[in-house]
Amino acid sequence: MVVISARLVIGALCAIIVAVAAVVGLLVWRVRRRRARPDLVARKSARLRHPVVLAHGLLGFDKIAVGGKEHSYFRGVTGHLMRVGAEVHRPRVPSYASIAARAEELARVVRQIRARKVNIIAHSMGGLDARYAIAKLGLADRVASLVTVGTPHLGTPVADLGARLAGLLKLKKLLGRVVDVEAFHDLTTARMEEFNRAIADVDDVVYCSVVARVDRGRAHPLLWATHAYLSERCGDNDGVVPAASQRWGEVLREIEADHWAQIGWSPGFDTLTFYEELLRELRGRGF
């Protein structure tokens, strides 16, 4: 007979909450409309030397219909960046798949872009896909820079907990027929330790990161449980990923935003201005 401690049960509930919330929160959370900035036209163009590729994270999509309107994973970001002069691509990779499988699709799409090089801005797991594609799939000569936002480079205890729960309840056997549950295992701290030993940065690519943290009261309510769980174990976090795990290469920005606010799906953070500033940073560096 398997004895489950109260601590494990509470932790398991956190893992279930983040999995369900990742779907529910993105689909039904209503975000207040941001007013257009009156000085937008007067600003200097954010046109880059190379196109931008927006790489989505776990459970991601290129676009989805909500309330009769289409929205992208990077909500409102694509259109905004195009309006300020950037060429933007938003590839779709498998929502539930291992890093290796997702990276294969990302590499395939990037090779089809008619440009000598691209700048990849990747959210969450998308940053790991990009690192793998650059190091292992011959994409190094096509990428000028990689900026990761909220990426679990050292893994996340939320995934550790989810993996333990999946093993305990034999979820891998049940869900394996529907989705590739390796995606969740790939984000564990143990798997990411192996990943970082095997996936070395490439000298000709500039690696940068954005580190996000938020107080629990300012996070999306559906992230409160996981935020509390991570706070107890790791300190600062964005509700899904510890802040310490998000650092890779040069840290360009440290922001106050939960994991969903980073892509425009939670209120209280100016996502559009944030991505525009990232473009200006890259432009200033000749990318």
Side-chain angles (χ1 to χ4, degrees):
M1 178 180 295
V2 177
V3 178
I4 304 176
S5 68
R7 188 180 183 85
L8 182 57
V9 170
I10 292 173
L13 289 176
C14 289
I16 293 172
I17 287 171
V18 75
V20 173
V23 177
V24 176
L26 290 177
L27 298 181
V28 304
W29 182 256
R30 300 184 63 182
V31 181
R32 287 173 283 181
R33 292 183 179 180
R34 297 181 177 89
R35 295 181 179 179
R37 296 178 63 95
D39 60 337
L40 183 61
V41 177
R43 292 181 178 185
K44 188 176 181 180
S45 170
R47 184 180 299 278
L48 300 177
R49 181 180 178 187
H50 308 298
V52 172
V53 174
L54 296 176
H56 68 71
L58 184 67
L59 305 174
F61 47 87
D62 53 352
K63 60 183 178 180
I64 195 169
V66 179
K69 295 183 179 181
E70 283 192 347
H71 301 280
S72 65
Y73 176 87
F74 292 86
R75 193 173 189 187
V77 174
T78 302
H80 181 75
L81 297 187
M82 291 175 68
R83 285 192 294 273
V84 297
E87 177 185 337
V88 183
H89 300 266
R90 53 182 193 194
R92 180 178 183 176
V93 304
S95 296
Y96 301 92
S98 65
I99 293 172
R102 289 164 53 96
E104 285 277 2
E105 182 60 16
L106 176 63
R108 185 189 69 81
V109 173
V110 169
R111 291 192 189 100
Q112 293 180 340
I113 296 174
R114 294 185 177 181
R116 189 172 65 86
K117 289 180 179 288
V118 300
N119 296 298
I120 299 178
I121 300 179
H123 179 246
S124 195
M125 190 177 184
L128 305 178
D129 303 337
R131 285 179 55 199
Y132 187 100
I134 292 168
K136 294 293 187 180
L137 302 180
L139 208 60
D141 63 343
R142 298 296 306 277
V143 178
S145 68
L146 168 62
V147 179
T148 62
V149 181
T151 293
H153 293 286
L154 306 181
T156 172
V158 172
D160 295 347
L161 191 60
R164 289 176 62 193
L165 176 65
L168 197 65
L169 302 180
K170 301 185 184 303
L171 294 180
K172 184 173 182 179
K173 183 176 182 180
L174 293 174
L175 297 178
R177 301 172 184 176
V178 182
V179 298
D180 184 354
V181 295
E182 284 303 304
F184 301 97
H185 286 273
D186 275 359
L187 302 180
T188 61
T189 53
R191 285 278 184 93
M192 283 310 303
E193 186 176 350
E194 296 174 4
F195 180 92
N196 290 328
R197 285 198 296 266
I199 306 301
D201 288 354
V202 175
D203 291 339
D204 293 337
V205 177
V206 174
Y207 293 81
C208 302
S209 58
V210 173
V211 177
R213 57 175 59 81
V214 70
D215 293 335
R216 190 179 69 167
R218 297 187 61 189
H220 191 294
L222 290 175
L223 295 176
W224 284 355
T226 49
H227 187 286
Y229 183 76
L230 290 174
S231 295
E232 181 182 338
R233 287 154 182 77
C234 314
D236 291 343
N237 67 89
D238 66 1
V240 176
V241 182
S245 183
Q246 300 173 38
R247 298 177 180 275
W248 198 263
E250 179 185 354
V251 176
L252 292 182
R253 295 281 192 283
E254 295 199 24
I255 60 176
E256 293 188 11
D258 71 37
H259 203 67
W260 298 338
Q262 296 159 26
I263 51 173
W265 287 90
S266 287
F269 179 69
D270 191 346
T271 312
L272 303 187
T273 297
F274 164 64
Y275 280 93
E276 184 180 338
E277 289 174 350
L278 284 184
L279 258 63
R280 294 184 186 284
E281 179 75 31
L282 294 175
R283 181 180 184 274
R285 298 178 179 220
F287 296 133

